[in-house]
Amino acid sequence: MGTPPPPDVLLDVRDLRTYFRVMDGTVPAVDGVSFQVHRGETLGVVGESGCGKSVTALTIMRLIETPPGEIVGGEVWFNGRDILTLSSDEMLQVRGAEMAMIFQEPMTSLNPVLTIGDQIAEAVVAHKKVGHKAAWDRAIEMLQLVGIPEAQRRVKQHPHELSGGMRQRVMIALALSCDPKLLIADEPTTALDVTIQAQILELIRRVQEETGTALLLITHDLGVVAETVQRVVVMYAGKVVETGTVDEVLQDPKHPYTEGLLASIPSQGLRGTRLNVIRGSIPNPFRMPVGCRFAPRCPYAFDPCRDHEPPLEGPGDGDRRVACWLHSRPPFGIEHRPRYGTSTATALAQRTAGVAS
Amino acid sequence: MTQYIVRRVIQAIPVLFLISVVSFVLMMQAPGGPAAQFNQNPHISPAQINKWLADWCLVRQPTVMDTVREYLGWLGVWNCTGGSFLSAHGLPNFLPAFLGGGTNGILHGDFGYSIETGQPVLQMILARLPATLILMGTAFVLWATIAILAGVLAAVKRYSFFDQSVTFVSYVFYSLPTFWLGLILIFIFGVTLRWFPVQGIVNVRNTPAPFATSAYWAAFAANPLPYLYDIGAHLVLPVVTLIAVSIAGDSRFVRSAMLDSLHQDYVRTARAKGISERQVIVRHAFRNAMLPILTNLALEIAFLFSGAIVTETVFSWPGMGRLYYDGVNARDYFLLMGILLIGSVLVVVMNLVADIAYAIADPRIRYD
């Protein structure tokens, strides 16, 4: 049992582990993830598909289906208490009221047989202890807040009468209807048209400013990250590999995986040249590499990477953290002999120079 | 909505017409015939037979045209006595009698006379209808309730002991033939244990008159409780026979529909709202699983009718099913055609009701 974080930290995830026990073995979908979200802050979680972003979010909401999923360890301090210790009845008071979630698929995330108003009012009635009429008015108010025209009429409609963008607006209205302190958005724009994506992001940013809620934005789109968030957590194969402010991480990536992610964004300037993708694919979840999980795909991998897991620690001051042997002193007695690459190699040269002096 | 219902009713008319054609053709194709039955009945004179044949446009060695005329006469479009499409009033025969149409044929409510008993077919069927409706109504309500409850619980508590038990019992019952199950139930609970009566709908020793006669209803109305108890006791074994196999299949169907629904994104959204698990299951998961279940139940009503024939025969239940069975044995063609038609109309009506219920339950159904 740990100690609570300082009051300005809204969400403190410590060494969270969520495993899925399936017929073929155990999948460590989230394996020792730690990060913090301050009140009113926006944190981005990035990483490719299958790296454990969504499972992290669902674990924080305690929406993991058990079985096959199981939260095997860690603490999730939210608003002063470890919510992993709450009973499922106590969790009903937290979920939807203090923390709310927006999902990736607006087309399927709303109940097709209930009106939009019913679906929003249901949450309001559950948490705000108000009557149906007041909840219904709140639903209309929320629809107006998220910019749905003719809210009075729309509130009586069913989801199939709305476009994808409108449905995602309804999801946002639903999530914010009980004034949550934390909003978790799991790839909220992935399923939408590009033009609608920008509108929805702008909307999320606006309502977040207006309501002062903290935002945990999960995405694989670094463009979205650059525009929306203040701090970034980069995840790979169930682990955090790098954290820092959005400028630090995007301008000066330390981890080879982050570097690879940034290099694989297509850009107008590189038209006609071969896209610089990360070779290989994410490791087989049943047989995770022993050392650094990125080592099999890493262009800079050297001896300690394959046998020893790098700790997530700061290359310097502040909140900057990176889990890579290029930036950490390897355990005593292990030969440290990197193959030299490009920019990360420069970082390595600087570091070894620092160690020598 | 009203428009939708009206359109569905109009769409049912061609279906009913086709059903009448099929009923008729099936009987035409069956071996034997009314004449063969008459020949074995010493109480009927040749003159009576000839009059009966003429009334129904029946010919001893019919050509194709004669057969068509027989059908149209049975339907009520052809005026058999006048020998034309026009009624005695000179107007089209298919019109209702009060508008100057004819009086023969099912369109005018004339289903003919039973070859065996000489009674009007419609009267015979109506006399048997209450027993069948009691049996089927009870069976349907219990069937739907048990199948839905068992299926939903099994899905919610997936892989639990309850779920596994339901699965096991379902497979056992699903493999049993209805007639065999009926006989075994009679043997165990009727003959050996003597818990339940083995045949009929009422205990004839304690009733003043046969079931469904006006004297019976009068006695029933005066003191309903013992009569209800009597019918209830007689219902147990036939209802169990009729629904055991169907519940086995349908609880599996409900379980899979419910499992499908429980894994939908909107159920996760509902959980994320922080509403109670019961609300999640009832308002979100079950409300959506209801849609395929409704369709399935409507289709199963037809199955209930055919099941009733076997069950009523095994338990000597005085309903339409046994009337049909007796009619087949007696080659009572007009009776058989009448039962087929009325049974089909009931099934079509039930499907119509299910369609309308579906339209109410699913807002995505377009009415135009």
Side-chain angles (χ1 to χ4, degrees):
Chain A
M1 199 53 202
T3 48
D8 66 314
V9 175
L10 176 66
L11 176 73
D12 189 359
V13 178
R14 297 178 189 169
D15 197 31
L16 189 64
R17 289 167 201 275
T18 304
Y19 292 178
F20 287 87
R21 303 192 195 286
V22 291
M23 226 186 314
D24 298 331
T26 300
V27 176
V30 174
D31 202 7
V33 165
S34 304
F35 58 84
Q36 292 185 334
V37 181
H38 296 259
R39 288 179 195 275
E41 183 194 39
T42 305
L43 177 76
V45 178
V46 294
E48 65 198 290
S49 304
C51 71
K53 307 180 300 258
S54 297
V55 177
T56 306
L58 290 173
T59 307
I60 295 168
M61 291 287 285
R62 296 243 327 246
L63 285 173
I64 294 289
E65 214 169 307
T66 314
E70 191 185 342
I71 303 169
V72 295
E75 292 164 22
V76 177
W77 288 89
F78 176 73
N79 207 20
R81 62 205 184 290
D82 181 2
I83 58 170
L84 294 189
T85 62
L86 298 182
S87 72
S88 51
D89 277 349
E90 289 170 323
M91 197 58 210
L92 290 181
Q93 309 295 321
V94 177
R95 212 186 287 135
E98 292 182 54
M99 56 164 76
M101 190 159 173
I102 308 170
F103 297 98
Q104 182 172 349
E105 286 292 340
M107 305 309 279
T108 55
S109 290
L110 289 166
N111 189 334
V113 300
L114 296 180
T115 62
I116 288 153
D118 278 332
Q119 298 189 49
I120 299 177
E122 183 182 34
V124 178
V125 170
H127 295 300
K128 291 285 184 190
K129 310 292 169 233
V130 295
H132 188 262
K133 177 75 181 69
W136 188 263
D137 290 342
R138 174 72 177 161
I140 295 173
E141 186 192 330
M142 290 313 296
L143 292 183
Q144 283 163 346
L145 177 76
V146 297
I148 290 181
E150 299 178 86
Q152 298 276 3
R153 184 171 67 86
R154 294 284 185 180
V155 74
K156 292 189 210 113
Q157 287 188 330
H158 290 90
H160 70 274
E161 296 168 79
L162 274 71
S163 67
M166 280 295 169
R167 288 188 213 185
Q168 197 61 302
R169 283 173 195 265
V170 171
M171 284 299 291
I172 296 169
L174 169 62
L176 294 174
S177 60
C178 299
D179 303 312
K181 295 186 175 64
L182 174 69
L183 178 64
I184 301 175
D186 185 3
E187 311 231 8
T189 58
T190 307
L192 302 173
D193 281 346
V194 179
T195 47
I196 308 296
Q197 283 186 5
Q199 290 177 14
I200 293 294
L201 274 180
E202 178 54 36
L203 170 68
I204 291 176
R205 216 159 26 189
R206 179 171 63 80
V207 293
Q208 190 207 354
E209 264 169 35
E210 285 175 19
T211 58
T213 173
L215 175 65
L216 182 64
L217 180 69
I218 293 168
T219 180
H220 61 250
D221 187 339
L222 290 167
V224 169
V225 167
E227 282 174 40
T228 317
V229 309
Q230 289 148 16
R231 286 195 308 120
V232 184
V233 169
V234 183
M235 282 186 69
Y236 181 79
K239 286 187 174 295
V240 175
V241 294
E242 186 167 2
T243 69
T245 65
V246 64
D247 289 340
E248 286 169 343
V249 173
L250 298 188
Q251 304 288 332
D252 178 25
K254 299 281 189 202
H255 198 282
Y257 176 63
T258 319
E259 195 182 292
L261 273 186
L262 287 165
S264 57
I265 300 171
S267 82
Q268 198 69 36
L270 295 172
R271 204 184 181 88
T273 62
R274 211 176 163 78
L275 191 63
N276 199 355
V277 297
I278 305 176
R279 293 185 189 283
S281 55
I282 54 169
N284 179 347
F286 296 112
R287 272 179 284 122
M288 283 291 186
V290 179
C292 172
R293 290 183 176 177
F294 188 60
R297 301 172 74 183
C298 181
Y300 314 118
F302 56 107
D303 282 348
C305 301
R306 307 198 196 284
D307 306 319
H308 300 275
E309 203 175 306
L312 184 67
E313 58 184 27
D317 306 331
D319 281 343
R320 195 77 203 275
R321 299 271 187 282
V322 58
C324 181
W325 286 126
L326 289 174
H327 305 282
S328 299
R329 179 189 287 276
F332 181 74
I334 294 169
E335 200 179 351
H336 191 270
R337 198 175 55 204
R339 268 187 284 138
Y340 288 96
T342 51
S343 70
T344 310
T346 331
L348 176 78
Q350 283 164 357
R351 176 161 173 84
T352 39
V355 170
S357 61
Chain B
M1 194 69 198
T2 318
Q3 208 188 345
Y4 175 80
I5 296 172
V6 169
R7 205 177 51 247
R8 293 312 308 250
V9 171
I10 291 170
Q11 280 171 355
I13 292 174
V15 174
L16 291 174
F17 174 73
L18 279 176
I19 288 171
S20 74
V21 173
V22 171
S23 308
F24 185 81
V25 170
L26 276 177
M27 286 305 131
M28 280 294 126
Q29 290 299 315
Q37 285 295 313
F38 285 141
N39 291 342
Q40 291 168 8
N41 190 335
H43 301 296
I44 299 177
S45 69
Q48 281 174 310
I49 297 177
N50 286 336
K51 163 134 191 351
W52 188 83
L53 289 176
D55 278 351
W56 290 93
C57 323
L58 298 180
V59 182
R60 284 187 192 275
Q61 298 293 330
T63 61
V64 172
M65 277 318 291
D66 291 334
T67 309
V68 171
R69 222 171 281 137
E70 283 176 18
Y71 169 72
L72 293 176
W74 178 64
L75 191 64
V77 173
W78 182 260
N79 180 0
C80 289
T81 38
S84 77
F85 283 109
L86 299 179
S87 71
H89 304 279
L91 289 165
N93 195 60
F94 64 82
L95 289 174
F98 65 88
L99 287 179
T103 54
N104 66 315
I106 54 176
L107 284 177
H108 304 103
D110 179 7
F111 284 72
Y113 289 83
S114 162
I115 294 166
E116 205 188 8
T117 64
Q119 288 179 326
V121 164
L122 194 62
Q123 192 189 320
M124 287 175 73
I125 294 175
L126 289 180
R128 297 296 193 100
L129 203 55
T132 290
L133 289 183
I134 289 172
L135 178 64
M136 286 186 41
T138 316
F140 187 72
V141 169
L142 282 176
W143 168 11
T145 316
I146 297 174
I148 289 174
L149 280 180
V152 167
L153 278 178
V156 170
K157 308 230 176 270
R158 194 183 185 183
Y159 301 139
S160 65
F161 179 73
F162 177 78
D163 184 23
Q164 309 280 11
S165 314
V166 169
T167 305
F168 177 76
V169 173
S170 294
Y171 280 125
V172 171
F173 277 101
Y174 200 67
S175 327
L176 298 180
T178 308
F179 66 89
W180 184 85
L181 180 65
L183 292 175
I184 292 298
L185 287 178
I186 288 177
F187 179 71
I188 296 176
F189 295 102
V191 178
T192 311
L193 295 173
R194 293 183 172 269
W195 287 358
F196 301 109
V198 297
Q199 64 161 22
I201 185 168
V202 292
N203 186 343
V204 287
R205 290 188 188 87
N206 299 338
T207 42
F211 178 72
T213 55
S214 46
Y216 174 84
W217 290 125
F220 185 98
N223 186 13
L225 268 183
Y227 290 97
L228 279 177
Y229 178 80
D230 189 24
I231 292 177
H234 282 82
L235 266 173
V236 175
L237 293 184
V239 165
V240 169
T241 309
L242 195 53
I243 66 179
V245 176
S246 315
I247 287 179
D250 277 2
S251 67
R252 306 303 297 162
F253 183 86
V254 172
R255 178 181 179 269
S256 76
M258 193 64 192
L259 276 180
D260 191 45
S261 179
L262 277 170
H263 286 100
Q264 294 292 320
D265 287 349
Y266 51 75
V267 171
R268 190 181 57 189
T269 307
R271 289 214 174 92
K273 282 181 207 173
I275 55 177
S276 70
E277 187 63 19
R278 228 191 69 192
Q279 272 183 299
V280 170
I281 288 166
V282 174
R283 261 175 77 93
H284 294 272
F286 181 65
R287 182 73 169 69
N288 280 278
M290 220 23 233
L291 303 174
I293 294 171
L294 262 180
T295 311
N296 194 48
L297 283 181
L299 292 176
E300 297 274 19
I301 290 174
F303 183 80
L304 203 57
F305 259 97
S306 52
I309 294 177
V310 176
T311 310
E312 289 185 3
T313 308
V314 170
F315 288 94
S316 303
W317 192 265
M320 275 168 70
R322 201 171 115 237
L323 188 64
Y324 186 84
Y325 177 78
D326 295 341
V328 168
N329 284 338
R331 306 282 192 281
D332 203 341
Y333 287 8
F334 280 94
L335 178 63
L336 295 181
M337 289 195 291
I339 296 175
L340 278 179
L341 197 72
I342 288 182
S344 311
V345 169
L346 285 178
V347 171
V348 169
V349 169
M350 293 296 180
N351 273 312
L352 201 63
V353 170
D355 268 359
I356 293 164
Y358 194 98
I360 294 169
D362 189 347
R364 286 165 295 185
I365 298 284
R366 290 166 57 99
Y367 297 136
D368 45 56

